[in-house]
Amino acid sequence: MALSRRLFVLSATALAASGGTATASALAAPPPPSDSRSRIPVGPDDTEAELVRKASQVRPTARQVAWQKLERTAFLHFGVNTFTGLEWGTGDEDPNVFQPTGLDTDQWARALRDGGFKLAILTVKHHDGFVLYPSRYTNHTVAYSSWRAGEGDVLRSFADSMRRYGLKVGVYLSPADENQYLHGVYANGSTRTTRTIPTLVDGDDRTPDAFYTLDATDYGAHMLNTLYEVLTEYGPIDEVWFDGAQGRIPPGHVEDYDWDSWYTLVRSLAPDAAIAVTGPDVRWVGNEGGTAREDEWSVLPVKEEQYGRTDWALSYDTPDEGSRSALVSAQPNTDYLQWWPAECDVSIHDGWFYHPDQVPKGVEELIDIYFGSVGRNSVLLLNVPPDTDGLLAAPDVARLREFRERVDRELPEDLARGARTAVSPGRVTVDLGTEQAVDRVRLAEDIGRYGQQVEAFVVEAYVDGGWTEVTRAGTIGASRILLLAAPVRARRWRIRVTAARDAVKIAEFGLYRSRV
């Protein structure tokens, strides 16, 4: 079996005996991932040791494990802004401005597949409220454009194309809605009452399998009905992406979002979908540059706010979100320790929507983003906006292909695949059989069963009769990629964990020589 797919258990007691730090004992055979272990309550009297012990017990759900394995996902910002040149719409656009006469979502899917992406998220509704499918609940939609005689449905075409080319399907519905504000629905001061979802309308021929009674404001109910359409009429949805935008509405006007009801409906209709980034499954990394922290933890202290919204106990842009000291400093504001991995969003252009004067980022910048996101225990979300014809621009398509080719050259054949291995206290040693030059090291923990435990480690090579340190770092998690300053030639390599919270299980120890 290939080395990079073998599992190496480093027990906490053995690690401590070897001079590293850890909690008291090795884990027993762990159960499969489950929602019940994805968050653990924190109390005001918890000591630092108790906080660390609880953090060591947090495990991702099956949907979070599946999401983390995607590594590269894509965003497609598309809507009326594509045609008005705005980044943030106004809500009073004439739907007829939306005219993607050359729409080809198969072209999108091919370009993303060839770029190495596994999932794509479409902006089904941005802050302006324009909807890319013919919704029953708003007139600000493709059905009110002359494009395709009012019969167009971008979401249908998008979902079908992505699945046809082997990509998973994600949807972004902005909680903000300036069109609904103009119609007196959004931020109208309405109270939460029990609503029946879906709310059938005149001429509605649907016969739902079930109706849901959920608490919501007037606008919250509108969002629930929109979510119901999207999640029941367009096939399996793999990610539902929310942000926390309020829209450009007058001071003093606010909409308290019905997060608990929205989450409940998503869980009921799309139980395998990850809810991001204002959601319990995935968090925003804290910037729009596509780069994670040097040591990115997936177990974070969180608090529960506004109708069940998962929020940071520390600020979203705190340089350290999950270390021992962070757990302690966050404790006064912490309700739970939660598995909440990071998604790194960034656009291939300067803007999120297409602008003809903008050019794509260069390959060097994209590869730096890749190592700063996927290489730091995060998932990359790269925005590639369709143009006014409804196509991904030729320079963007070429850059996506070049990006994948560069990743493949950076991490070609794993030299450790099939190599002999040995596990001893706090160490995994690899014997390549012959000396090999290595300048890339890829590591992963078995997060699904053992969580994220490594706090510090070194990678060493056996050179000139002794073990020599070639690099060191802090966290590992689901994916850590380390770039060596220069190739190192050695037959024997090892990872030595020097600090951990509990038993460590190394799922991948890959060694590469880049071809760049």
Side-chain angles (χ1 to χ4, degrees):
M1 182 180 295
L3 167 68
S4 61
R5 298 187 183 277
R6 294 175 65 183
L7 304 177
F8 309 100
V9 182
L10 310 180
S11 75
T13 48
L15 176 60
S18 69
T21 61
T23 51
S25 62
L27 292 174
S34 70
D35 285 22
S36 64
R37 304 186 71 192
S38 64
R39 54 160 44 182
I40 294 177
V42 167
D45 298 326
D46 286 343
T47 63
E48 177 179 337
E50 183 66 7
L51 290 170
V52 173
R53 185 188 68 81
K54 288 182 175 182
S56 75
Q57 294 177 333
V58 177
R59 299 290 181 271
T61 64
R63 75 177 71 86
Q64 289 173 315
V65 172
W67 174 85
Q68 191 87 50
K69 290 178 180 178
L70 296 173
E71 293 195 356
R72 278 173 275 178
T73 60
F75 226 161
L76 294 151
H77 275 64
F78 190 50
V80 288
N81 292 352
T82 307
F83 299 86
T84 63
L86 299 176
E87 282 289 303
W88 194 308
T90 58
D92 59 358
E93 298 88 355
D94 180 351
N96 206 45
V97 73
F98 187 78
Q99 295 288 337
T101 54
L103 181 73
D104 185 352
T105 53
D106 276 358
Q107 186 248 9
W108 303 0
R110 286 193 300 270
L112 295 176
R113 178 202 61 187
D114 294 347
F117 293 84
K118 303 295 179 59
L119 175 146
I121 302 170
L122 177 67
T123 54
V124 177
K125 179 173 82 75
H126 204 248
H127 312 324
D128 49 73
F130 186 78
V131 177
L132 293 182
Y133 72 95
S135 174
R136 300 166 180 82
Y137 300 99
T138 178
N139 294 339
H140 206 46
T141 168
V142 290
Y144 286 80
S145 167
S146 63
W147 172 64
R148 295 189 177 176
E151 298 296 321
D153 188 336
V154 179
L155 177 55
R156 175 81 60 202
S157 181
F158 163 79
D160 290 348
S161 292
M162 295 303 135
R163 296 189 188 105
R164 185 176 300 122
Y165 285 89
L167 279 78
K168 293 181 179 295
V169 175
V171 293
Y172 163 40
L173 291 95
S174 171
D177 196 316
E178 297 191 19
N179 179 263
Q180 291 300 306
Y181 174 76
L182 295 174
H183 285 85
V185 178
Y186 182 89
N188 66 1
S190 62
T191 59
R192 279 173 38 119
T193 59
T194 300
R195 315 290 178 130
T196 299
I197 307 299
T199 305
L200 300 183
V201 299
D202 290 344
D204 205 323
D205 59 357
R206 289 178 293 177
T207 55
D209 294 334
F211 288 86
Y212 299 86
T213 55
L214 298 163
D215 291 340
T217 63
D218 292 345
Y219 175 70
H222 172 79
M223 271 289 286
L224 286 167
N225 279 310
T226 304
L227 279 167
Y228 185 90
E229 289 179 318
V230 170
L231 298 179
T232 59
E233 298 179 22
Y234 291 90
I237 301 298
D238 302 287
E239 184 168 341
V240 178
W241 206 95
F242 298 118
D243 55 23
Q246 275 283 320
R248 294 182 301 188
I249 56 179
H253 288 248
V254 66
E255 177 71 34
D256 291 331
Y257 297 138
D258 299 308
W259 296 111
D260 51 356
S261 295
W262 298 355
Y263 295 164
T264 296
L265 191 66
V266 174
R267 287 284 189 257
S268 299
L269 299 176
D272 295 329
I275 305 177
V277 293
T278 300
D281 296 320
V282 176
R283 66 180 159 92
W284 181 42
V285 75
N287 65 73
E288 293 184 345
T291 303
R293 296 161 183 82
E294 180 68 29
D295 290 317
E296 193 69 68
W297 285 96
S298 292
V299 179
L300 263 65
V302 303
K303 57 185 177 181
E304 197 169 88
E305 295 194 317
Q306 191 188 72
Y307 305 127
R309 170 180 171 169
T310 301
D311 203 354
W312 292 267
L314 299 168
S315 174
Y316 69 88
D317 56 356
T318 302
D320 175 9
E321 292 278 8
S323 71
R324 292 174 183 241
S325 61
L327 299 182
V328 172
S329 62
Q331 185 178 14
N333 296 320
T334 301
D335 294 323
Y336 302 94
L337 295 178
Q338 179 165 320
W339 194 275
W340 208 28
E343 183 176 72
C344 296
D345 62 333
V346 64
S347 184
I348 198 169
H349 296 166
D350 290 339
W352 290 94
F353 287 89
Y354 180 79
H355 305 283
D357 59 333
Q358 294 183 354
V359 297
K361 289 177 169 58
V363 173
E364 291 296 331
E365 186 172 0
L366 290 176
I367 200 66
D368 286 345
I369 288 170
Y370 174 83
F371 286 128
S373 55
V374 176
R376 294 181 181 172
N377 188 38
S378 303
V379 168
L380 171 61
L381 177 60
L382 181 66
N383 179 64
V384 190
D387 64 17
T388 53
D389 290 327
L391 300 170
L392 299 188
D396 296 355
V397 173
R399 191 56 41 81
L400 291 176
R401 184 176 59 253
E402 292 164 358
F403 177 39
R404 177 175 184 166
E405 291 170 351
R406 177 61 179 270
V407 172
D408 290 345
R409 291 199 303 273
E410 292 279 357
L411 298 168
E413 177 189 4
D414 180 2
L415 301 173
R417 185 174 295 276
R420 290 184 296 168
T421 64
V423 180
S424 58
R427 300 180 179 90
V428 175
T429 303
V430 175
D431 186 339
L432 301 180
T434 60
E435 280 194 356
Q436 301 278 359
V438 170
D439 61 2
R440 304 285 185 264
V441 179
R442 182 158 193 171
L443 301 163
E445 294 178 68
D446 180 5
I447 61 169
R449 294 185 297 164
Y450 280 76
Q452 186 180 7
Q453 307 295 349
V454 176
E455 296 173 299
F457 68 93
V458 296
V459 175
E460 299 168 318
Y462 197 78
V463 178
D464 296 331
W467 286 104
T468 301
E469 179 181 321
V470 295
T471 189
R472 66 170 53 224
T475 57
I476 295 178
S479 175
R480 189 69 189 254
I481 305 172
L482 302 172
L483 312 183
L484 306 187
V488 175
R489 292 191 62 86
R491 170 178 170 173
R492 296 171 63 199
W493 293 78
R494 74 182 182 189
I495 174 177
R496 183 164 54 86
V497 177
T498 57
R501 293 175 173 178
D502 207 331
V504 174
K505 197 167 192 179
I506 300 298
E508 181 176 356
F509 184 9
L511 302 170
Y512 300 84
R513 172 66 191 271
S514 67
R515 296 174 181 167
V516 177

